[in-house]
PDB file of all heavy atoms in Angstrom:
ATOM      1  N   THR O  43    -183.354 -94.681   1.112  1.00 93.00           N
ATOM      2  CA  THR O  43    -182.651 -95.783   1.770  1.00 93.00           C
ATOM      3  C   THR O  43    -181.243 -95.356   2.169  1.00 93.00           C
ATOM      4  O   THR O  43    -180.792 -95.634   3.285  1.00 93.00           O
ATOM      5  CB  THR O  43    -182.584 -97.011   0.838  1.00 93.00           C
ATOM      6  OG1 THR O  43    -183.907 -97.320   0.409  1.00 93.00           O
ATOM      7  CG2 THR O  43    -181.989 -98.199   1.539  1.00 93.00           C
ATOM      8  N   LYS O  44    -180.557 -94.685   1.276  1.00 94.00           N
ATOM      9  CA  LYS O  44    -179.204 -94.199   1.570  1.00 94.00           C
ATOM     10  C   LYS O  44    -179.256 -93.147   2.676  1.00 94.00           C
ATOM     11  O   LYS O  44    -178.386 -93.117   3.541  1.00 94.00           O
ATOM     12  CB  LYS O  44    -178.553 -93.635   0.314  1.00 94.00           C
ATOM     13  CG  LYS O  44    -177.120 -93.163   0.544  1.00 94.00           C
ATOM     14  CD  LYS O  44    -176.382 -93.060  -0.755  1.00 94.00           C
ATOM     15  CE  LYS O  44    -174.973 -92.551  -0.592  1.00 94.00           C
ATOM     16  NZ  LYS O  44    -174.168 -93.220   0.411  1.00 94.00           N
ATOM     17  N   LEU O  45    -180.281 -92.317   2.649  1.00 94.00           N
ATOM     18  CA  LEU O  45    -180.443 -91.306   3.694  1.00 94.00           C
ATOM     19  C   LEU O  45    -180.532 -91.969   5.063  1.00 94.00           C
ATOM     20  O   LEU O  45    -179.824 -91.575   5.997  1.00 94.00           O
ATOM     21  CB  LEU O  45    -181.709 -90.471   3.438  1.00 94.00           C
ATOM     22  CG  LEU O  45    -182.138 -89.548   4.585  1.00 94.00           C
ATOM     23  CD1 LEU O  45    -181.217 -88.342   4.671  1.00 94.00           C
ATOM     24  CD2 LEU O  45    -183.573 -89.114   4.431  1.00 94.00           C
ATOM     25  N   ARG O  46    -181.377 -92.990   5.161  1.00 95.00           N
ATOM     26  CA  ARG O  46    -181.546 -93.673   6.455  1.00 95.00           C
ATOM     27  C   ARG O  46    -180.249 -94.355   6.903  1.00 95.00           C
ATOM     28  O   ARG O  46    -179.881 -94.296   8.073  1.00 95.00           O
ATOM     29  CB  ARG O  46    -182.681 -94.679   6.374  1.00 95.00           C
ATOM     30  CG  ARG O  46    -184.032 -94.029   6.320  1.00 95.00           C
ATOM     31  CD  ARG O  46    -185.156 -95.058   6.409  1.00 95.00           C
ATOM     32  NE  ARG O  46    -186.431 -94.392   6.314  1.00 95.00           N
ATOM     33  CZ  ARG O  46    -187.173 -94.351   5.217  1.00 95.00           C
ATOM     34  NH1 ARG O  46    -186.754 -94.955   4.119  1.00 95.00           N
ATOM     35  NH2 ARG O  46    -188.319 -93.713   5.213  1.00 95.00           N
ATOM     36  N   ALA O  47    -179.576 -95.001   5.983  1.00 95.00           N
ATOM     37  CA  ALA O  47    -178.325 -95.691   6.319  1.00 95.00           C
ATOM     38  C   ALA O  47    -177.250 -94.693   6.742  1.00 95.00           C
ATOM     39  O   ALA O  47    -176.543 -94.910   7.737  1.00 95.00           O
ATOM     40  CB  ALA O  47    -177.850 -96.523   5.139  1.00 95.00           C
ATOM     41  N   ASP O  48    -177.112 -93.609   5.980  1.00 95.00           N
ATOM     42  CA  ASP O  48    -176.123 -92.587   6.319  1.00 95.00           C
ATOM     43  C   ASP O  48    -176.459 -91.924   7.651  1.00 95.00           C
ATOM     44  O   ASP O  48    -175.574 -91.640   8.465  1.00 95.00           O
ATOM     45  CB  ASP O  48    -176.036 -91.523   5.227  1.00 95.00           C
ATOM     46  CG  ASP O  48    -175.425 -92.058   3.938  1.00 95.00           C
ATOM     47  OD1 ASP O  48    -174.826 -93.161   3.973  1.00 95.00           O
ATOM     48  OD2 ASP O  48    -175.561 -91.375   2.901  1.00 95.00           O
ATOM     49  N   PHE O  49    -177.747 -91.677   7.869  1.00 96.00           N
ATOM     50  CA  PHE O  49    -178.180 -91.058   9.118  1.00 96.00           C
ATOM     51  C   PHE O  49    -177.829 -91.955  10.302  1.00 96.00           C
ATOM     52  O   PHE O  49    -177.282 -91.497  11.305  1.00 96.00           O
ATOM     53  CB  PHE O  49    -179.690 -90.796   9.084  1.00 96.00           C
ATOM     54  CG  PHE O  49    -180.194 -90.131  10.321  1.00 96.00           C
ATOM     55  CD1 PHE O  49    -180.178 -88.757  10.426  1.00 96.00           C
ATOM     56  CD2 PHE O  49    -180.660 -90.876  11.392  1.00 96.00           C
ATOM     57  CE1 PHE O  49    -180.624 -88.132  11.580  1.00 96.00           C
ATOM     58  CE2 PHE O  49    -181.099 -90.272  12.538  1.00 96.00           C
ATOM     59  CZ  PHE O  49    -181.084 -88.898  12.637  1.00 96.00           C
ATOM     60  N   ASP O  50    -178.145 -93.236  10.173  1.00 95.00           N
ATOM     61  CA  ASP O  50    -177.860 -94.179  11.256  1.00 95.00           C
ATOM     62  C   ASP O  50    -176.365 -94.249  11.534  1.00 95.00           C
ATOM     63  O   ASP O  50    -175.936 -94.241  12.697  1.00 95.00           O
ATOM     64  CB  ASP O  50    -178.409 -95.558  10.904  1.00 95.00           C
ATOM     65  CG  ASP O  50    -178.414 -96.476  12.097  1.00 95.00           C
ATOM     66  OD1 ASP O  50    -179.290 -96.312  12.970  1.00 95.00           O
ATOM     67  OD2 ASP O  50    -177.523 -97.356  12.161  1.00 95.00           O
ATOM     68  N   ALA O  51    -175.559 -94.315  10.477  1.00 96.00           N
ATOM     69  CA  ALA O  51    -174.109 -94.385  10.643  1.00 96.00           C
ATOM     70  C   ALA O  51    -173.566 -93.127  11.331  1.00 96.00           C
ATOM     71  O   ALA O  51    -172.668 -93.200  12.161  1.00 96.00           O
ATOM     72  CB  ALA O  51    -173.438 -94.574   9.286  1.00 96.00           C
ATOM     73  N   LYS O  52    -174.118 -91.986  10.979  1.00 96.00           N
ATOM     74  CA  LYS O  52    -173.622 -90.720  11.525  1.00 96.00           C
ATOM     75  C   LYS O  52    -174.092 -90.470  12.962  1.00 96.00           C
ATOM     76  O   LYS O  52    -173.330 -89.966  13.783  1.00 96.00           O
ATOM     77  CB  LYS O  52    -174.073 -89.561  10.631  1.00 96.00           C
ATOM     78  CG  LYS O  52    -173.731 -88.193  11.179  1.00 96.00           C
ATOM     79  CD  LYS O  52    -173.080 -87.357  10.150  1.00 96.00           C
ATOM     80  CE  LYS O  52    -172.790 -85.963  10.658  1.00 96.00           C
ATOM     81  NZ  LYS O  52    -171.449 -85.839  11.163  1.00 96.00           N
ATOM     82  N   PHE O  53    -175.348 -90.815  13.276  1.00 97.00           N
ATOM     83  CA  PHE O  53    -175.932 -90.374  14.536  1.00 97.00           C
ATOM     84  C   PHE O  53    -176.149 -91.456  15.591  1.00 97.00           C
ATOM     85  O   PHE O  53    -176.526 -91.131  16.711  1.00 97.00           O
ATOM     86  CB  PHE O  53    -177.269 -89.663  14.262  1.00 97.00           C
ATOM     87  CG  PHE O  53    -177.096 -88.330  13.613  1.00 97.00           C
ATOM     88  CD1 PHE O  53    -177.358 -88.176  12.262  1.00 97.00           C
ATOM     89  CD2 PHE O  53    -176.650 -87.236  14.325  1.00 97.00           C
ATOM     90  CE1 PHE O  53    -177.188 -86.954  11.644  1.00 97.00           C
ATOM     91  CE2 PHE O  53    -176.474 -86.011  13.718  1.00 97.00           C
ATOM     92  CZ  PHE O  53    -176.748 -85.870  12.377  1.00 97.00           C
ATOM     93  N   ARG O  54    -175.928 -92.713  15.286  1.00 97.00           N
ATOM     94  CA  ARG O  54    -176.177 -93.766  16.282  1.00 97.00           C
ATOM     95  C   ARG O  54    -175.306 -93.573  17.528  1.00 97.00           C
ATOM     96  O   ARG O  54    -175.798 -93.683  18.650  1.00 97.00           O
ATOM     97  CB  ARG O  54    -175.955 -95.156  15.701  1.00 97.00           C
ATOM     98  CG  ARG O  54    -176.172 -96.254  16.756  1.00 97.00           C
ATOM     99  CD  ARG O  54    -176.506 -97.578  16.183  1.00 97.00           C
ATOM    100  NE  ARG O  54    -177.716 -97.617  15.422  1.00 97.00           N
ATOM    101  CZ  ARG O  54    -178.929 -97.840  15.942  1.00 97.00           C
ATOM    102  NH1 ARG O  54    -179.079 -97.971  17.228  1.00 97.00           N
ATOM    103  NH2 ARG O  54    -179.981 -97.909  15.159  1.00 97.00           N
ATOM    104  N   HIS O  55    -174.045 -93.279  17.345  1.00 96.00           N
ATOM    105  CA  HIS O  55    -173.149 -93.110  18.491  1.00 96.00           C
ATOM    106  C   HIS O  55    -173.593 -91.916  19.349  1.00 96.00           C
ATOM    107  O   HIS O  55    -173.671 -92.020  20.577  1.00 96.00           O
ATOM    108  CB  HIS O  55    -171.704 -92.933  18.017  1.00 96.00           C
ATOM    109  CG  HIS O  55    -170.736 -92.760  19.135  1.00 96.00           C
ATOM    110  ND1 HIS O  55    -170.432 -93.777  20.010  1.00 96.00           N
ATOM    111  CD2 HIS O  55    -170.026 -91.680  19.535  1.00 96.00           C
ATOM    112  CE1 HIS O  55    -169.567 -93.325  20.909  1.00 96.00           C
ATOM    113  NE2 HIS O  55    -169.305 -92.057  20.643  1.00 96.00           N
TER     114      HIS O  55
END
Side-chain angles (χ1 to χ4, degrees):
T43 306
K44 182 161 178 50
L45 169 74
R46 288 187 182 101
D48 291 346
F49 181 87
D50 193 76
K52 174 131 177 95
F53 289 104
R54 178 157 299 273
H55 180 68

